[in-house]
Amino acid sequence: MKISDARVIVTSPGRNFVTLKIVTDEGVTGVGDATLNGRELAVAAYLNEHVVPLLIGRDPHRIEDIWQYLYKGAYWRRGPVTMTAIAAVDTALWDIKGKVAGLPVYQLLGGRSREGVTVYGHASADTVDGVLAEVAKYVADGYKAVRLQAGIPGLSGVYGVHTGPGVYEPASAAVPAEAVWSTERYLHHVPSLFERVRDEFGPTLKLLHDAHHRLTPIEAARLGKSLEPYALTWLEDPVPAELQEGFRLIRRHTTTPLAVGEVFNSVWDCQQLITEQLVDYIRTTVVHAGGISALRRIFDLAALYHVRSGSHGATDLSPVCMAAALHVDVSIPNFGLQEYMPHTEETDEVFPHGYRFENGYLHPSEAPGLGVDIDEELAAKYPYRPAALPVNRLEDGTLHSW
Ligand code: EZ4
Ligand code: CO
């Protein structure tokens, strides 16, 4: 069998997605998500200009060799654009292998390690009362885990807080929107949110929070400490993680579990965090960390150090990524949690898929391969619209992040 064609499909059914579709001479096709929020066309160009020409004529069964060829062969290793492009190829090749084998991909990864994939939903609102009402809805829908984000008194447009109708969408304008950030106001407010929700919903609901890289290590340590009475499942992205040793300082001060890694693109980005046991959950995902093959390596390393998976799963990761993530999640021994945000109806129509949500769990498709596809005709009806993630400035105008 040979790869005869590979198409890069850019579509915007509510938000932008880039998808790679690999076609073989025997008519079997595979799909991979190649979406990098706010930088979509860079990955599309990387694939079109530099990767697709190298794929034609290759044996699609040689997943590992093709991965190594694209990674080592580029000379310029790592980086989100490169690794997202490689991820798309890897994911599409696993899809093809599953279809040829007549098995869902999780069977090729060793089979089931659990009955369902526990997901967390997103309760967010401007006010604490609003968040409480949101949590109640998730609990009624069967969710076992909920992330809490609330507006901060005195700040408007806080990143990660979804208000109003429609699905959560942080990328808005072509030129990033700007908001004002105050760490003092934030650190003062967050514990009161968790106190209310813990009081009302009891000790077993898993509660999470995302700090979106906005703190320094000592500020994060203080936040972790102040949240200890409310027994979080994780505090996510407390600080930007380029300086992995920075987590030592947080760890020294708090027992609040830490999660990090949605922006990582290789095992090297989390090696120290994992091997020094500086985090509890590693949030790398299929699309941004080099595909199913590379993600499994990260999770295998993590398993040696008591670190569990907690893959990113926001709406800017397409249903193709979610389908692939679920095959990994259901098969690995050290699964922790999977983030889940429903896509728009339009997105679900463009990407017909067989995974399903039931009572707090997602279940991968039982169809051969990943169990997801792209309707190219429908995709063509939604042209690309530039949209970027916002930035924050401190009250004096200094550029912060998110
Ligand atoms: O900011 O997906 O945990 N989830 C998140 C997301 C990310 C976006 C970035 O593209 O932090 O909302
Ligand atoms: Co996050």
Side-chain angles (χ1 to χ4, degrees):
M1 193 191 283
K2 283 189 166 39
I3 296 173
S4 54
D5 190 18
R7 296 194 284 277
V8 180
I9 303 144
V10 180
T11 181
S12 191
R15 71 145 7 266
N16 295 316
F17 294 110
V18 182
T19 309
L20 178 69
K21 186 159 203 168
I22 296 182
V23 182
T24 68
D25 57 356
E26 295 180 18
V28 184
T29 64
V31 285
D33 185 16
T35 309
L36 184 61
N37 200 1
R39 295 292 182 271
E40 294 88 359
L41 299 187
V43 184
Y46 191 101
L47 283 167
N48 275 321
E49 303 297 325
H50 306 293
V51 174
V52 167
L54 305 179
L55 294 177
I56 309 303
R58 276 177 205 281
D59 175 359
H61 278 305
R62 296 182 60 166
I63 300 177
E64 184 62 32
D65 185 63
I66 290 175
W67 195 99
Q68 298 293 336
Y69 178 72
L70 294 176
Y71 182 79
K72 295 173 178 163
Y75 188 79
W76 312 104
R77 298 183 184 201
R78 305 161 57 187
V81 175
T82 299
M83 298 307 285
T84 301
I86 294 177
V89 175
D90 181 87
T91 308
L93 295 180
W94 278 102
D95 193 19
I96 289 171
K97 196 181 280 295
K99 286 180 183 170
V100 173
L103 292 169
V105 166
Y106 75 81
Q107 295 290 16
L108 306 180
L109 301 176
R112 269 181 196 281
S113 286
R114 58 196 49 77
E115 302 313 316
V117 172
T118 309
V119 299
Y120 67 91
H122 288 258
S124 79
D126 269 339
T127 64
V128 171
D129 284 336
V131 177
L132 283 163
E134 285 292 304
V135 176
K137 286 191 212 160
Y138 282 102
V139 170
D141 284 347
Y143 280 81
K144 318 285 183 266
V146 188
R147 191 186 93 171
L148 312 182
Q149 310 290 137
I152 309 297
L155 298 180
S156 60
V158 176
Y159 187 79
V161 178
H162 171 62
T163 54
V167 304
Y168 174 72
E169 180 48 68
S172 50
V175 174
E178 301 202 5
V180 174
W181 177 251
S182 159
T183 297
E184 293 79 8
R185 292 177 196 274
Y186 171 74
L187 291 181
H188 179 72
H189 187 64
V190 175
S192 64
L193 166 67
F194 279 84
E195 185 181 14
R196 287 278 308 280
V197 174
R198 198 44 103 195
D199 269 1
E200 187 139 332
F201 292 91
T204 57
L205 182 63
K206 294 180 201 293
L207 300 179
L208 298 79
H209 180 67
D210 194 343
H212 290 295
H213 321 92
R214 288 175 295 211
L215 305 174
T216 65
I218 200 68
E219 291 163 353
R222 185 182 140 204
L223 178 61
K225 222 173 178 174
S226 66
L227 293 175
E228 280 172 23
Y230 317 115
L232 269 63
T233 295
W234 80 44
L235 170 61
E236 174 180 335
D237 288 343
V239 298
E242 289 96 325
L243 183 70
Q244 297 185 35
E245 67 189 42
F247 278 70
R248 289 181 189 151
L249 201 152
I250 311 174
R251 268 304 209 215
R252 229 173 270 151
H253 293 283
T254 181
T255 58
T256 292
L258 303 175
V260 75
E262 67 182 43
V263 305
F264 293 175
N265 50 71
S266 86
V267 68
W268 304 105
D269 297 330
C270 38
Q271 180 202 13
Q272 188 180 7
L273 291 172
I274 291 172
T275 59
E276 287 190 30
Q277 302 177 58
L278 298 177
V279 295
D280 302 277
Y281 296 88
I282 186 71
R283 283 180 44 72
T284 40
T285 190
V286 171
V287 58
H288 299 135
I292 291 173
S293 305
L295 190 63
R296 215 165 49 138
R297 287 223 166 85
I298 294 173
F299 290 163
D300 277 345
L301 176 70
L304 303 182
Y305 296 93
H306 302 286
V307 176
R308 287 184 280 176
S309 75
S311 286
H312 190 203
T315 42
D316 51 293
L317 289 67
S318 89
V320 176
C321 178
M322 181 53 80
L326 294 174
H327 289 282
V328 176
D329 293 339
V330 87
S331 62
I332 57 172
N334 57 325
F335 169 75
L337 276 177
Q338 169 68 53
E339 181 178 14
Y340 175 50
M341 282 182 178
H343 288 105
T344 63
E345 242 173 71
E346 291 83 358
T347 296
D348 283 338
E349 280 165 16
V350 168
F351 297 97
H353 55 265
Y355 61 80
R356 64 195 166 82
F357 173 86
E358 200 183 309
N359 197 29
Y361 301 99
L362 275 172
H363 298 277
S365 165
E366 291 296 331
L370 295 174
V372 64
D373 207 344
I374 180 164
D375 179 334
E376 292 181 65
E377 243 173 70
L378 196 54
K381 294 190 178 148
Y382 299 103
Y384 171 77
R385 291 175 309 185
L389 290 163
V391 294
N392 267 321
R393 291 185 187 275
L394 301 180
E395 281 157 310
D396 70 356
T398 305
L399 191 73
H400 204 56
S401 63
W402 295 296

